[in-house]
Amino acid sequence: MFLPFLILPLFFVGIKKEKIDVYRLFNYLNYGVLTIILYGWIRFLFDILYLEERYDYGRTIALLSKYIPHHVYLSIFILIGIYATVKGFVSKSLKAYNLWFLPFLYVMIFVLGSRTAMVIAIFVLPLLIFNTLKGNFKIKNIITILSFSFLILVIIGFSNEFSRDKIIFTYYDLANIATKRKPFDGISDRKMIWKSTVDAIKDSPYIGYGLGDAQYALNTKYSTNGYYSVMGMNTHNQYLQFLLTYGFIITALLLIVIISLVYKCVYNKDYFLTYLWLVLLTFCLTESILNRHWGVLLFAYILNLSIYKLNEASMLKILSPKGMINSEQSR
């Protein structure tokens, strides 16, 4: 589980002190995601056409998910890849043809059906893309093109019954509205999981239960509360997972380190790194991100990239004429 933390720093160490093209690196992630999705769709179509699998337009994900990684983590990669490609195009490190894949990836966010991803795709990503483009194109043209494009893509995305139901029945669950059918248990399951997690944390708030006993302690609370349908599930919240495993003391130290990194990213006006942390930390509210290797790998990469970029920014300030003058004065 911790192997990526040991290996990934090596990617940022080289014989030559060359500047890392972050957007080009994440563009490789885009092509990896595209390859995985295309493979999934090919297998999906093969099953439908030749194996005569049941096909329901509103339940595409049930069959497609057999051939792709967990839909939440794939959605995270797509959200990051889209913004990285736009930033790379504006900074002229990526060619314009890379933009042609973005509408397909954007619609895939809705096909995959992650509620958190859809919220970020609708309310956060368009604003960031507009902010990135406004210095290079006429604002009126950007607003017209982006508004029309995102509206069309969102309509296409929500034409899938699976995506619509995810939002509608989430609202019903949160508002405690009774319905004749209940196609998703995500919200009700999390209510049971989080209640049991909080109960377990109260029994060992300062030092937690450790890696070996955390799930056992949680399963015990599931049994005590009569929540047998969620038996064996993790906390589905990384912050609660930290508290359950390590207790308040270590969790507080971890959060202080992460918050200080995010603050420095904001202070240095590195909006791309800030966006990476925003996406990751937002998904930590509904998923135990570090319980899967995809999440561990992404966290380790963003952490090491942040340290590298912040150190690079510090060196540039020191080497700038103003920084050198201040350094001489301090002597």
Side-chain angles (χ1 to χ4, degrees):
M1 180 176 178
F2 292 101
L3 186 61
F5 287 97
L6 301 176
I7 295 177
L8 277 174
L10 299 178
F11 288 99
F12 299 92
V13 178
I15 297 175
K16 296 181 180 180
K17 299 297 181 181
E18 296 178 353
K19 187 176 181 180
I20 293 178
D21 190 337
V22 176
Y23 309 127
R24 188 173 294 277
L25 284 176
F26 278 98
N27 195 47
Y28 295 139
L29 173 65
N30 251 8
Y31 284 115
V33 169
L34 279 168
T35 303
I36 291 170
I37 292 174
L38 290 175
Y39 169 78
W41 277 105
I42 291 171
R43 291 296 304 269
F44 165 79
L45 293 174
F46 178 83
D47 287 358
I48 295 296
L49 297 175
Y50 294 98
L51 301 184
E52 297 182 352
E53 288 276 2
R54 172 180 172 271
Y55 171 64
D56 180 349
Y57 177 65
R59 297 290 176 266
T60 307
I61 187 64
L63 187 55
L64 181 63
S65 61
K66 290 169 57 178
Y67 306 111
I68 60 176
H70 193 286
H71 69 285
V72 168
Y73 298 87
L74 194 57
S75 297
I76 295 175
F77 298 150
I78 292 173
L79 286 169
I80 291 173
I82 289 175
Y83 188 48
T85 300
V86 174
K87 292 282 287 186
F89 169 70
V90 171
S91 66
K92 298 181 180 180
S93 62
L94 295 177
K95 301 295 184 181
Y97 65 80
N98 291 284
L99 299 175
W100 290 103
F101 304 109
L102 300 190
F104 170 70
L105 290 175
Y106 190 81
V107 170
M108 276 302 302
I109 292 174
F110 297 90
V111 173
L112 293 172
S114 168
R115 286 168 287 238
T116 305
M118 287 190 280
V119 169
I120 294 175
I122 294 173
F123 297 106
V124 178
L125 197 54
L127 294 176
L128 288 174
I129 292 177
F130 170 77
N131 187 65
T132 302
L133 296 176
K134 70 179 183 180
N136 298 270
F137 304 95
K138 292 182 179 180
I139 293 181
K140 183 179 179 180
N141 293 340
I142 298 172
I143 292 175
T144 303
I145 295 172
L146 283 183
S147 299
F148 181 75
S149 299
F150 278 110
L151 179 62
I152 295 298
L153 293 174
V154 169
I155 290 173
I156 294 173
F158 279 122
S159 67
N160 184 358
E161 183 184 350
F162 178 81
S163 303
R164 294 200 308 273
D165 282 357
K166 269 295 187 88
I167 300 299
I168 293 170
F169 283 92
T170 295
Y171 169 73
Y172 289 160
D173 260 343
L174 293 174
N176 292 318
I177 298 174
T179 58
K180 292 182 179 180
R181 66 187 182 99
K182 192 174 183 180
F184 306 105
D185 296 319
I187 299 299
S188 55
D189 282 352
R190 280 175 171 79
K191 287 179 180 178
M192 293 186 286
I193 291 170
W194 292 341
K195 182 183 184 307
S196 300
T197 303
V198 171
D199 291 343
I201 291 171
K202 288 178 180 177
D203 292 341
S204 182
Y206 299 110
I207 60 173
Y209 294 92
L211 289 172
D213 296 326
Q215 190 60 50
Y216 175 79
L218 188 53
N219 288 340
T220 301
K221 289 299 178 183
Y222 289 153
S223 180
T224 301
N225 294 332
Y227 299 152
Y228 300 107
S229 62
V230 296
M231 186 68 70
M233 291 188 180
N234 61 44
T235 63
H236 281 69
N237 181 299
Q238 189 58 56
Y239 307 108
L240 292 178
Q241 191 75 45
F242 278 147
L243 288 169
L244 182 69
T245 306
Y246 305 114
F248 279 101
I249 298 173
I250 294 180
T251 299
L253 293 174
L254 289 170
L255 291 179
I256 288 171
V257 172
I258 293 173
I259 291 171
S260 65
L261 274 175
V262 176
Y263 171 78
K264 289 179 181 178
C265 292
V266 176
Y267 180 78
N268 288 333
K269 297 182 179 180
D270 193 325
Y271 300 119
F272 181 67
L273 278 180
T274 304
Y275 174 71
L276 295 185
W277 281 111
L278 172 68
V279 171
L280 186 63
L281 296 178
T282 301
F283 274 91
C284 283
L285 292 170
T286 56
E287 301 291 333
S288 295
I289 293 293
L290 300 184
N291 276 35
R292 291 178 182 264
H293 68 277
W294 298 298
V296 173
L297 188 66
L298 182 63
F299 176 80
Y301 188 87
I302 294 175
L303 177 65
N304 283 280
L305 180 62
S306 298
I307 294 171
Y308 171 83
K309 294 292 289 180
L310 291 173
N311 285 338
E312 183 183 61
S314 298
M315 289 300 298
L316 288 174
K317 287 182 180 179
I318 293 173
L319 295 176
S320 66
K322 185 177 180 180
M324 294 180 70
I325 292 172
N326 292 335
S327 178
E328 289 293 332
Q329 289 176 347
S330 64
R331 293 179 184 177

